[in-house]
Amino acid sequence: MKPAPFAYQAARSVDEAVALLDEHGSAAKVLAGGQSLMLDLHYRRTRPALLVDVNGVEELVGHGVDDGHLVLGALVRHADLERPVVDDPVGALLAHVAPYVAHPPIRARGTFAGSLAWAHPAAEWCAVAVALDAEIGLHGPSGRRVVAAAEWFHGPHRTDRTAQELVTEVRLPLLGAGTGIGFAEHRRTHGSFAFAAAVAAVGVAEGRVAWARIAMANAGPVPVRATTAERALAGQSVASCDGAVSEAGAAAAREADPRPEPHGSVEYRRHVLAVLVRRSLRQALGSAAAQVTRPPAGRG
Amino acid sequence: MEVTLWVNGDRYRVDVEPRDSLADTLRDDLALTGTNLACEHGVCGSCTVLVDGQAVRSCLLLTVQCSGRSIRTVEGLATDGELHPLQAAFAAEHGLQCGFCTPGFLMLFAGALEHDPRLDHDERRLEETLASNLCRCTGYVNIRRAVLRAARELRGEASPGE
Ligand SMILES: Cc1cc2nc3c(=O)[nH]c(=O)nc-3n(C[C@H](O)[C@H](O)[C@H](O)COP(=O)(O)OP(=O)(O)OC[C@H]3O[C@@H](n4cnc5c(N)ncnc54)[C@H](O)[C@@H]3O)c2cc1C
Ligand code: FES
Ligand code: FES
């Protein structure tokens, strides 16, 4: 099908985009990469009166580091993250996950912020945002506000954003040297949405897990943070935490709220989630260990 | 809305509705029907064209977004009746059967090989680029061979068996 008719405005600045959103409210839709919105227009699941194209808004382009955070402008595309954008494990994590997001031509257009605004339960970036306690920066008619990822997702395709607000940036905390990162996904074909996925970051100090952050994609209506699993790992010795990793996988699967799908019962989905959480944790512990065991310079 | 497009080096002024996709404008207004449309959901890649050198799905891009941009389609690949090395390689390696997906694959790899002329040495990237588009006929093996041949040809290397 072809989209129903709509008007089109290319905004040149954040203020201009917000003014348009303020004027038209829920009749307007922001157009970023268009790699989800255009499908919805074709299906006529959405029939906005106006599209506000933000692709020409310079303020939304690029990334930087500010106050201990990697700041991704709303026009940072998936493809921009395929190589580490910052010399911190968070850059490595994004580069590790990026190839799992769609295909190269989709990644060339789709944006990180658009993925969070779209809030698909299986979206990799949404799980990353929840695992890392990202912050979503918005501009609206009454100014700027910042929402924690934990408060952002209200349900499939529902977020804390009001129709008058524009997502301008996403802030991801830097993880610091010594943090290990991991990501594991199961999908039916290359480029399919995740059947399930798990993202992990593990802070290691003096041979012990100082903290762990784990989140799962397509494990419920919104990304699920596995806090019980995280606690099961904290304080464990890295050298002998096989049992704790196993237990964390099982705990995460219990924390998940998976729905049955034609290709997977709830039971099977929980099983897969447990396996993926374990894999992502093993990767994370391995990458943390690789940093720690690097021989320190100048010691004999 | 009046939009100026540069397609294969030619300038066009078209009057489009905001909802018209670049694919529809190419096919219906400019009669450049080499760009095929199938799913219109970004899944199949048969509509792939280059916009400012980047392979994108033209079904997911609005024509009004392409004002002033440089667009390349399969019609622009051959020069003076001479096939582009990718086209010649697809023919030589039997990289097509029904041919419906072919314009999309050609533009996908035209973009990818301009971006990285040594794509054939990056196994992961080659695989995921191949997996970007759907072909229901060939089984991909011959498409892959064609891309490897074209990459060598574009670098001026001889192909084995030639
Ligand atoms: C074939 C295919 C495969 C895909 N596979 C995957 C996959 O494996 N994993 C995955 O996560 N995604 C996948 N996607 C979706 C893709 O990642 C999209 O790019 C992403 O979901 C949306 O980003 P976008 O920039 O394209 O947003 P758009 O499509 O432009 O917008 C999506 C929604 O978010 C809103 N929005 C966007 N940006 C803003 C903003 N700055 N402020 C306020 N609202 C905003 C829009 O109004 C719209 O409602 C796939 C898409 C396709 C076509
Ligand atoms: S028609 Fe555009 S991707 Fe299928
Ligand atoms: S040759 Fe028929 S779909 Fe590819």
Side-chain angles (χ1 to χ4, degrees):
Chain A
M1 238 187 332
K2 307 293 179 189
F6 50 76
Y8 168 88
Q9 291 264 345
R12 294 279 147 232
S13 67
V14 168
D15 287 346
E16 200 185 319
V18 170
L20 285 165
L21 295 176
D22 190 24
E23 187 186 337
H24 296 271
S26 54
K29 283 266 181 206
V30 175
L31 173 63
Q35 304 300 293
S36 293
L37 179 59
M38 286 296 296
L39 281 70
D40 249 29
L41 293 169
H42 282 299
Y43 279 116
R44 298 201 179 189
R45 278 192 296 234
T46 178
R47 303 172 76 127
L50 173 70
L51 285 199
V52 179
D53 183 356
V54 296
N55 283 280
V57 179
E58 269 311 306
E59 301 150 80
L60 302 179
V61 174
H63 60 84
V65 171
D66 171 49
D67 192 19
H69 286 73
L70 169 64
V71 184
L72 302 178
L75 285 175
V76 168
R77 317 265 171 192
H78 308 318
D80 297 335
L81 302 171
E82 288 181 46
R83 294 218 176 86
V85 290
V86 61
D87 185 18
D88 177 273
V90 74
L93 176 60
L94 295 173
H96 184 34
V97 176
Y100 291 88
V101 181
H103 312 287
I106 310 286
R107 294 207 286 272
R109 298 286 313 164
T111 63
F112 188 96
S115 182
L116 267 50
W118 179 240
H120 191 292
E124 289 84 1
W125 294 141
C126 297
V128 167
V130 166
L132 299 191
D133 285 325
E135 295 167 346
I136 293 97
L138 300 140
H139 270 74
S142 46
R144 181 183 143 79
R145 78 184 172 109
V146 172
V147 181
E151 321 279 301
W152 176 251
F153 299 100
H154 291 191
H157 307 302
R158 289 194 296 115
T159 69
D160 207 55
R161 184 181 89 88
T162 66
Q164 288 76 18
E165 289 175 307
L166 178 71
V167 176
T168 50
E169 64 185 37
V170 181
R171 301 169 65 86
L172 297 159
L174 298 179
L175 296 169
T179 304
I181 53 103
F183 179 79
E185 175 167 310
H186 176 59
R187 51 188 174 179
R188 299 185 72 233
T189 67
H190 182 101
S192 305
F193 272 85
F195 176 82
V199 51
V202 177
V204 172
E206 288 158 14
R208 291 193 175 272
V209 175
W211 52 265
R213 294 155 181 271
I214 305 165
M216 298 172 284
N218 222 13
V222 297
V224 176
R225 182 82 179 259
T227 47
T228 320
E230 291 175 1
R231 280 196 298 273
L233 276 168
Q236 298 288 332
S237 150
V238 173
S240 59
C241 65
D242 278 3
V245 166
S246 255
E247 175 43 38
R254 284 193 299 273
E255 292 180 275
D257 182 18
R259 307 297 154 99
E261 275 184 13
H263 310 296
S265 63
V266 167
E267 196 185 21
Y268 176 62
R269 300 178 74 83
R270 281 195 207 279
H271 170 75
V272 171
L273 282 163
V275 171
L276 294 173
V277 165
R278 284 179 200 129
R279 281 186 194 161
S280 68
L281 282 170
R282 281 194 205 104
Q283 285 175 23
L285 289 162
S287 80
Q291 296 175 44
V292 173
T293 53
R294 237 177 259 149
R299 262 208 259 154
Chain B
M1 289 173 86
E2 287 260 312
V3 179
T4 301
L5 300 177
W6 290 89
V7 185
N8 302 326
D10 295 328
R11 185 172 178 274
Y12 294 89
R13 268 195 88 66
V14 286
D15 189 15
V16 297
E17 281 190 67
R19 62 173 166 162
D20 289 345
S21 71
L22 175 61
D24 281 335
T25 300
L26 290 170
R27 292 177 55 83
D28 300 344
D29 297 309
L30 307 187
L32 294 171
T33 52
T35 301
N36 286 337
L37 266 177
C39 70
E40 299 188 61
H41 294 135
V43 176
C44 73
S46 61
C47 66
T48 306
V49 302
L50 301 185
V51 176
D52 292 339
Q54 178 71 59
V56 295
R57 311 296 213 211
S58 63
C59 67
L60 299 186
L61 203 57
L62 298 170
T63 304
V64 289
Q65 292 184 275
C66 299
S67 167
R69 289 179 184 267
S70 155
I71 295 150
R72 282 156 62 201
T73 68
V74 71
E75 287 89 347
L77 272 188
T79 40
D80 302 326
E82 179 116 2
L83 291 183
H84 183 279
L86 263 168
Q87 292 171 304
F90 267 65
E93 298 287 358
H94 303 281
L96 63 152
Q97 287 179 30
C98 78
F100 190 86
C101 69
T102 313
F105 270 103
L106 290 170
M107 298 320 288
L108 176 71
F109 280 102
L113 287 172
E114 280 167 25
H115 199 251
D116 177 9
R118 296 178 61 78
L119 178 71
D120 48 335
H121 293 267
D122 183 346
E123 188 57 34
R124 189 189 67 83
R125 189 71 181 176
L126 176 65
E127 286 279 318
E128 67 174 7
T129 308
L130 279 165
S132 301
N133 285 15
L134 290 180
C135 174
R136 300 295 283 169
C137 302
T138 63
Y140 294 89
V141 173
N142 292 352
I143 295 179
R144 182 195 171 88
R145 281 201 193 108
V147 170
L148 299 184
R149 178 191 279 255
R152 288 190 299 263
E153 171 75 30
L154 284 161
R155 288 197 300 264
E157 298 166 16
S159 278
E162 271 179 69

